Amino acid sequence: MLDYKEAGLESEDLKEMYRTMHLARKIDERMWLLNRAGKLPFVISCQGQEATQVGAGYALDREVDIISPYYRDLALVTHFGMTAEETMLSAFAKKGDISSGGKQMPSHFSKKSCNIMTQGSSVTTQLLHAVGASFKFKMDDEKRVALTTLGEGSSNQGDFHEGLNFAGVHDLPFICIIENNDYAISVPRELQYGAEKLSDRALGYGMHGEHIDGNDPIAVYKAVKEARERAVNGEGATLIEAMSTRLTAHSSDDDDSYREKEERETMKESDCLVKFRSYILEHGVADEAWFEALEKEAKAIVTDATKAAEKAPYPKPEEALTHVYEEVHHG
Ligand SMILES: Cc1ncc(C[n+]2csc(CCOP(=O)(O)OP(=O)(O)O)c2C)c(N)n1
């Protein structure tokens, strides 16, 4: 892992980053339990990708920057202000779900007050929304950036190439992070693209490209911080490929039997949460007692959020079309 002081971080920053990564993991784990207990229909995990997500979010300015995330970004949206209760309300498809009032699939995050853009189910469309937002920032000469994320499978969609080409042509304050977790559902990366590194594509779009260890939150923080500085200084867009480890199956609806036994056994060794915990202990940033207290704090947050969401009302059937079509008021 990179030296945190060289990356411009203080020990308190590391604690805050770890706290968010840990909380997101705990929310995610609880959702799997609820799914297996038959209470939640569907879960798609951030597990293993929290380092990339929190490292990136931490390098942005939440007051002004916009994120256009993908479905695995629970840790990123948690950092940006999505609460555990809001996540649970969405998972239970309750009326109070901030993103869609319980009408969208879970993990289709959005929260306007926290600069989290809305997203659809077609992969990679979120990239175009972020490019559009960054074009607006540039036209209005605003010192803000738009960041989007996606999986490496999604980087083969037409939207990816069109969006990045546009961002390169116009030198937009735009950052794209590919959270490369080796699989698109069950398809391994050798069958998804012929390039050695997806970050090399940056050259073809006329922007800065970087290939980093996505399991190291400090490395991600540094790369995104620098990308943000270039963006607000008018130096254009950045494509970052963060090599990550997806610790779960694609979703609660499938298994990961397509992974070799050896891979499944060694996968846990690159668990970013475990690695970051060791780093924090080794550098004397926090002690075991701090981690124990954090465990209790997260458990209470997740339990309260679950109880509140379970008790919350569902949307009414007659609300099914509310916010779906434009409402025209006559007279
Ligand atoms: C346009 C489109 N095609 C196919 C799908 C079905 N689909 C949902 S997730 C997914 C895999 C995406 O893989 P990747 O981008 O690598 O992200 P990961 O889930 O591995 O993080 C696919 C094919 C979709 N949602 N949208």
Side-chain angles (χ1 to χ4, degrees), residues 10 24 85 104 153 188 201 232 248 297 324:
E10 313 264 339
E85 188 172 327
Q104 266 265 43
R201 290 179 181 171
V232 295
T248 64
E297 179 190 289
V324 173

Side-chain angles (χ1 to χ4, degrees), residues 130-149:
V131 170
S134 65
F135 191 39
K136 189 264 178 206
F137 299 158
K138 169 134 189 185
M139 285 195 301
D140 291 351
D141 207 14
E142 294 177 314
K143 298 267 178 233
R144 318 165 65 177
V145 303
L147 173 137
T148 197
T149 56

Side-chain angles (χ1 to χ4, degrees), residues 49 70-72 121-123 151-154 157 181 183-185 192 246 250:
Q49 297 181 206
Y70 89 120
Y71 47 78
R72 285 202 198 284
S121 289
S122 301
V123 297
E152 80 294 338
S154 305
Q157 291 283 116
N181 61 23
Y183 294 95
I185 307 187
Q192 297 180 58
R246 191 186 80 200
H250 174 73

Side-chain angles (χ1 to χ4, degrees), residues 76-326:
L76 173 62
V77 297
T78 301
H79 174 74
F80 254 68
M82 183 84 68
T83 67
E85 188 172 327
E86 286 162 349
T87 298
M88 283 296 178
L89 284 165
S90 161
F92 278 97
K94 295 296 177 82
K95 185 179 163 70
D97 159 33
I98 184 87
S99 304
S100 74
K103 295 184 200 171
Q104 266 265 43
M105 281 179 80
S107 300
H108 286 63
F109 313 106
S110 67
K111 186 173 178 184
K112 195 173 177 183
S113 61
C114 290
N115 290 345
I116 305 170
M117 282 227 249
T118 189
Q119 61 181 283
S121 289
S122 301
V123 297
T124 329
T125 49
Q126 74 278 9
L127 186 144
L128 300 175
H129 302 155
V131 170
S134 65
F135 191 39
K136 189 264 178 206
F137 299 158
K138 169 134 189 185
M139 285 195 301
D140 291 351
D141 207 14
E142 294 177 314
K143 298 267 178 233
R144 318 165 65 177
V145 303
L147 173 137
T148 197
T149 56
L150 68 164
E152 80 294 338
S154 305
S155 78
N156 302 313
Q157 291 283 116
D159 284 354
F160 178 87
H161 304 291
E162 291 164 26
L164 265 80
N165 190 54
F166 191 87
V169 166
H170 295 285
D171 280 329
L172 299 184
F174 166 77
I175 304 169
C176 174
I177 303 185
I178 302 173
E179 297 183 23
N180 190 337
N181 61 23
D182 293 336
Y183 294 95
I185 307 187
S186 56
V187 181
R189 65 174 141 120
E190 314 82 80
L191 294 177
Q192 297 180 58
Y193 55 87
E196 193 193 328
K197 290 179 188 166
L198 291 175
S199 52
D200 288 344
R201 290 179 181 171
L203 186 66
Y205 302 120
M207 63 179 67
H208 183 87
E210 253 176 86
H211 182 85
I212 57 170
D213 177 2
N215 291 326
D216 176 352
I218 302 166
V220 181
Y221 169 82
K222 184 171 179 286
V224 177
K225 186 92 186 156
E226 289 167 0
R228 187 181 190 280
E229 269 164 32
R230 280 192 301 276
V232 295
N233 289 333
E235 293 166 49
T238 299
L239 172 64
I240 295 170
E241 181 181 21
M243 303 310 291
S244 310
T245 311
R246 191 186 80 200
L247 294 171
T248 64
H250 174 73
S251 78
S252 56
D253 280 356
D254 40 26
D255 62 36
D256 61 355
S257 51
Y258 46 83
R259 293 194 213 243
E260 298 291 335
K261 189 168 170 272
E262 194 190 324
E263 185 187 336
R264 282 203 262 170
E265 279 163 5
T266 53
M267 219 162 55
K268 295 253 179 246
E269 288 166 20
S270 38
D271 183 336
C272 60
L273 202 67
V274 175
K275 285 172 104 174
F276 197 31
R277 186 184 200 280
S278 307
Y279 180 95
I280 286 174
L281 281 169
E282 273 164 31
H283 287 77
V285 168
D287 57 12
E288 290 288 357
W290 184 81
F291 286 106
E292 267 172 45
L294 197 70
E295 198 70 40
K296 280 198 192 124
E297 179 190 289
K299 196 171 178 186
I301 294 172
V302 176
T303 301
D304 289 350
T306 308
K307 283 185 185 158
E310 262 195 294
K311 269 198 284 179
Y314 285 104
K316 294 197 181 84
E318 53 271 32
E319 287 172 280
L321 298 182
T322 313
H323 304 307
V324 173
Y325 297 106
E326 186 183 11

Side-chain angles (χ1 to χ4, degrees), residues 64-77:
V64 294
D65 296 337
I66 290 238
I67 55 166
S68 190
Y70 89 120
Y71 47 78
R72 285 202 198 284
D73 282 328
L74 176 59
L76 173 62
V77 297

